[in-house]
Amino acid sequence: MSSSLPEIASGREAEQAIAPGPILLLGAPGVGKGTQAKELVKMWGIPQISTGDLLRFHKDHGTELGRIAKGLMERGELVPDDLVNDMVADRLARPDTLRGYILDGFPRTLNQANWLDERLANETGSIPVVAVSIQVDYNQLLRRITGRRNCPVCGTIYNIYAKPPGVEGTCDVEGAALVQRADDTEAVFAQRMKSYAALTAPVVDHYHTQGRFVEVDGDRPIEAVSDEIVAAVKRLRAS
Ligand code: AMP
């Protein structure tokens, strides 16, 4: 029987009416950008755009971009800016980005940041970005990265130290054998951290000086980190 009371939007529906605009998740490899992006997707219903995932898709499908990216990714080096910018431009042209999107792993160089700033400045009615920098200390990152295992079927992410599956090496949901990313080894991690310090740390400073920037401590439970990010995005959007 239908009620005569007016419908009250649930928290989730009310959140989905808000246009969060572009959100940049910045931080070293393993700080939890992907995990936090997925929390924000649930909250706001906007897409996660992970340049790492897009590049892995190209690599797995043997496209020209994928062939160029493969060796660089396996060594923990960055893919050239022009190629990544074009790939992001294609993705941003899709209509699901109109209310906003979460960029996870982009921009990673000042050149990419300048390209994005310019693109947004030339877009009519675009909402300015909010940049979130997630901080976690080096040793903790090393454990997160080298312990990370993924289910190739459902994408669930485990960690052999902090969040092991019930049966070693097997996904709890799918029963599939878990896999380790080729770039999640200690040697490649060291190279990725070197790239991060040299090329990506200046991007964090760039957005810091622009305002609409927040730094969060990523060494806490997932929900505590995402609550802080959501509160910060709302505060920065309102200011
Ligand atoms: P991620 O999954 O974000 O850790 O990215 C995996 C790898 O993809 C990185 O180590 C880089 O080789 C490449 N990559 C991802 N995003 C970018 C980007 N914005 N610019 C250049 N290379 C990238």
Side-chain angles (χ1 to χ4, degrees):
M1 206 180 90
S2 76
S3 149
S4 58
L5 288 173
E7 278 196 25
I8 298 168
S10 69
R12 174 63 52 84
E13 283 161 353
E15 290 299 348
Q16 296 216 345
I18 299 167
I23 299 170
L24 311 185
L25 293 183
L26 308 172
V31 295
K33 298 187 293 292
T35 304
Q36 289 304 325
K38 286 183 176 59
E39 293 297 305
L40 302 182
V41 167
K42 278 192 246 159
M43 166 72 71
W44 279 309
I46 55 175
Q48 169 191 12
I49 301 178
S50 154
T51 43
D53 285 350
L54 290 174
L55 288 167
R56 275 184 287 280
F57 178 89
H58 280 275
K59 193 162 70 85
D60 294 347
H61 288 79
T63 67
E64 198 189 336
L65 170 58
R67 281 196 293 275
I68 298 170
K70 187 172 187 291
L72 295 164
M73 291 173 79
E74 282 168 2
R75 291 193 298 276
E77 293 167 26
L78 295 187
V79 176
D81 290 332
D82 289 354
L83 300 179
V84 178
N85 293 350
D86 286 350
M87 179 183 78
V88 171
D90 274 355
R91 181 62 188 85
L92 292 183
R94 282 168 48 182
D96 63 344
T97 57
L98 282 177
R99 287 178 53 247
Y101 45 87
I102 301 144
L103 275 173
D104 156 11
F106 183 93
R108 253 181 165 93
T109 64
L110 273 180
N111 200 338
Q112 294 178 9
N114 290 329
W115 173 87
L116 182 67
D117 289 352
E118 204 171 305
R119 188 192 154 93
L120 291 172
N122 290 328
E123 216 172 74
T124 37
S126 73
I127 311 173
V129 299
V130 165
V132 179
S133 168
I134 308 175
Q135 298 289 323
V136 174
D137 85 37
Y138 187 95
N139 288 329
Q140 179 65 15
L141 289 179
L142 183 63
R143 266 168 66 92
R144 285 191 186 188
I145 289 278
T146 57
R148 180 157 67 182
R149 300 290 183 275
N150 306 312
C151 172
V153 180
C154 66
T156 303
I157 301 171
Y158 297 87
N159 186 286
I160 57 171
Y161 307 113
K163 190 194 162 202
V167 178
E168 197 186 320
T170 307
C171 177
D172 294 342
V173 185
E174 297 290 339
L178 299 179
V179 293
Q180 182 176 28
R181 268 170 52 175
D183 57 350
D184 276 351
T185 61
E186 192 164 346
V188 180
F189 172 72
Q191 176 55 45
R192 287 161 76 196
M193 286 302 281
K194 250 167 89 180
S195 297
Y196 179 79
L199 300 168
T200 312
V203 173
V204 177
D205 294 339
H206 171 83
Y207 286 106
H208 197 172
T209 52
Q210 277 195 10
R212 293 188 312 278
F213 171 89
V214 65
E215 195 168 276
V216 300
D217 172 6
D219 198 3
R220 291 175 301 154
I222 293 170
E223 208 174 291
V225 179
S226 62
D227 284 352
E228 190 179 339
I229 295 176
V230 168
V233 171
K234 286 184 182 166
R235 191 176 65 244
L236 292 166
R237 283 275 170 249
S239 63

